[in-house]
Amino acid sequence: MDAINQPLLHVRDLSVAFHQPSGTSVAVDGISYDIKRGECVALVGESGSGKSVSALSILKLLPYPTASHPSGSIQFKGRELLNLSEREIRGIRGNDISIIFQEPMTSLNPLHTIESQIGEILQLHSGVRGAMARARTLELLTQVGIPDPETRLASYPHQLSGGQRQRVMIAMALANEPDLLIADEPTTALDVTVQAQILTLLAEIRARLGMSLLFITHDLGIVRRIADVVCVMNNGKIVEQGPVEQVFTAPKHPYTRALLAAEPKPDPAPPRPESPVVMSTDDLKVWFPIKRGVLRRTVGHIKAVDGVSLSVRKGETLGVVGESGSGKTTLGLALLRLISSDGPIVFLGKDIQGLRFKAMLPFRRDMQIVFQDPFGALSPRMSVGDIVAEGLTVHQRGLSESERETRVIKALRDVGLDPATRFRYPHEFSGGQRQRISIARAVVLEPNFVVLDEPTSALDMLFQAQMVDLLRELQRKRDLTYMFISHDLRVVASLASHLIVMRHGKVVEEGAAAELFQNPKSDYTRALFAAAFRLEAAPGGAVAD
């Protein structure tokens, strides 16, 4: 093959196997694809289909020797990557090929500021430091949509929202303008308006630098917007590949057809004005102090939640939507008394705002949360069975060991996981599977009120639809009350009875979900809805306006 027509990345018959004491499992089974210069290839498929494992193989980031390649070749610019030493592959990572990981909180160093982490990339690979590194860092943060980037330079990862952390990861990956960018679910944690900005940014960088993109996602709307070629994966194999328009218009494989047909059914919980109020608050505030100087005096506040009032009735679902950093997650944490706040919080008729730890304990069983980042929320030292059973051990001590085991098995089945996997550990599961473990841990206690913080964001389309059906079924069977936080408005529309739209810590608009989706009143809400439901791609893989 001559150099001119040679693809930038040439993958042939690639297999990946994992060796455990219990045996060997094949995660990727003989896949082949090419990425041309300036081209975007999308890998889509359900959780655990081998998408991320195949991408990590390119940069040799798998846990060797636990992982191995029984067959295959990965050539980058004609150079075989699988044969490179660790020292040689380091010269490729970050410079020629860069990667955006799926879970930003576990990829960013909690001990270093955002400026130092991006600056480290620039110094290691480009030799840029000092004022030039600071200027380039500000430029990158501005490009990826971080508001007031100068104020964020000294921030640590835990001080940013999930979407903001993902944008920092994207800035780090783009710092040295690589030839190939591997993006593993890079927009999962982003709200729809910033998602559109990031996709536009990636399209612009591709055009300007001739950069190639390997885009891993479960969002078929994004594939339609950005990709030139799509490869559909199922059980470690590529079952179909071709130009996006061709595959989307005339899918040949039954799995591809099922994937395209999967969408949450719009069947939200009906409003129940006669039901008792489960959770309410009035003029709730969560202000974080900004301290300056040697004496660390408070010079201002970040108003994460600024005067929010709401009430949720038994059996209803309150949908909370808005941009990253708008205060959605902070509001949920405050209602559960997981962070400090000002203002009354009334749960099941009792004001719980001033209660101390021991007095709050009886309420904890009835209020649960599914966190946004499943990997950070699950202990790596505990088996899945122990993780799901932990709440039962704390709150229902009278259960026997066999009764706890029965409850755990039922909870895992409810969320679509094989109970036999309860002896495995979180790192052995895909991102979507870890999210289902988090949901099982919350529902096993049969609570009254559950805060769902982006519970479907890490799930592929098939399991997303199944999970929405599951949450709806659990709600009807157990009369659960949900607070559903999400940037995926299609999922919110399928579940929410009532909707509040947040921006900069305040409620911009609220009302019955069905009415609000049909007739949004504020300009911000209209822009949010327009970005969410705009799924058609412009010609050539560009982002549609």
Side-chain angles (χ1 to χ4, degrees), residues 184-413:
D184 188 359
E185 301 278 9
T187 58
T188 292
L190 303 182
D191 59 83
V192 289
T193 51
V194 177
Q195 185 180 91
Q197 292 171 18
I198 293 299
L199 295 177
T200 301
L201 171 65
L202 291 174
E204 289 172 353
I205 292 172
R206 279 179 59 204
R208 178 164 54 89
L209 302 177
M211 184 182 73
S212 300
L213 184 61
L214 177 59
F215 202 97
I216 301 166
T217 184
H218 62 261
D219 191 327
L220 297 178
I222 292 177
V223 174
R224 192 186 289 271
R225 289 182 188 183
I226 198 171
D228 302 304
V229 174
V230 60
C231 300
V232 182
M233 291 193 68
N234 185 29
N235 294 327
K237 296 177 181 288
I238 292 180
V239 296
E240 187 166 357
Q241 65 178 297
V244 168
E245 197 60 37
Q246 175 186 314
V247 173
F248 275 54
T249 306
K252 295 182 175 63
H253 196 276
Y255 176 75
T256 309
R257 290 195 290 269
L259 204 61
L260 290 168
E263 190 169 327
K265 297 182 180 116
D267 185 17
R272 294 168 57 174
E274 305 303 320
S275 296
V277 174
V278 172
M279 177 68 77
S280 66
T281 186
D282 184 45
D283 196 30
L284 188 72
K285 294 184 175 70
V286 181
W287 290 11
F288 297 108
I290 302 171
K291 297 181 182 291
R292 295 281 189 271
V294 177
L295 299 178
R296 308 300 293 164
R297 288 177 176 160
T298 300
V299 297
H301 290 87
I302 296 173
K303 300 178 181 180
V305 175
D306 192 17
V308 171
S309 300
L310 60 85
S311 65
V312 198
R313 295 185 178 274
K314 184 73 173 171
E316 289 186 341
T317 298
L318 173 66
V320 184
V321 300
E323 297 177 348
S324 298
S326 62
K328 307 186 300 295
T329 297
T330 303
L331 174 62
L333 295 176
L335 291 176
L336 297 182
R337 292 286 318 280
L338 295 177
I339 57 173
S340 299
S341 62
D342 291 319
I345 300 172
V346 180
F347 179 61
L348 298 176
K350 167 92 173 169
D351 190 346
I352 61 173
Q353 178 63 278
L355 298 184
R356 294 185 178 274
F357 177 81
K358 188 174 283 190
M360 268 299 298
L361 197 57
F363 293 96
R364 292 292 180 198
R365 174 186 166 181
D366 285 322
M367 52 168 67
Q368 291 293 307
I369 185 169
V370 177
F371 291 101
Q372 181 176 356
D373 180 0
F375 196 68
L378 302 176
S379 171
R381 295 182 176 87
M382 295 172 68
S383 70
V384 166
D386 290 339
I387 288 170
V388 177
E390 186 177 21
L392 296 172
T393 305
V394 173
H395 295 288
Q396 296 184 16
R397 297 181 181 179
L399 293 176
S400 67
E401 189 173 338
S402 63
E403 287 172 329
R404 277 199 303 272
E405 188 88 349
T406 301
R407 292 275 292 273
V408 169
I409 289 171
K410 183 179 185 301
L412 291 173
R413 281 198 179 120

Side-chain angles (χ1 to χ4, degrees), residues 22 75 207 258 311 327 456:
S22 56
Q75 293 184 13
S311 65
T456 61

Side-chain angles (χ1 to χ4, degrees), residues 503-519:
R503 191 183 193 193
H504 302 321
K506 294 181 179 290
V507 174
V508 175
E509 193 167 352
E510 66 174 312
E515 182 182 331
L516 205 55
F517 276 115
Q518 289 294 323
N519 186 30

Side-chain angles (χ1 to χ4, degrees), residues 27 56 72 121 126 137 149 177 200 302 439:
L56 292 173
I121 299 287
S126 304
T137 300
E177 300 183 343
T200 301
I302 296 173
I439 294 172

Side-chain angles (χ1 to χ4, degrees), residues 410-438:
K410 183 179 185 301
L412 291 173
R413 281 198 179 120
D414 282 347
V415 298
L417 287 174
D418 182 355
T421 63
R422 66 188 184 277
F423 304 109
R424 291 162 56 184
Y425 290 81
H427 73 274
E428 298 178 66
F429 294 84
S430 69
Q433 289 168 326
R434 286 194 286 264
Q435 190 62 285
R436 279 176 268 159
I437 293 166
S438 296

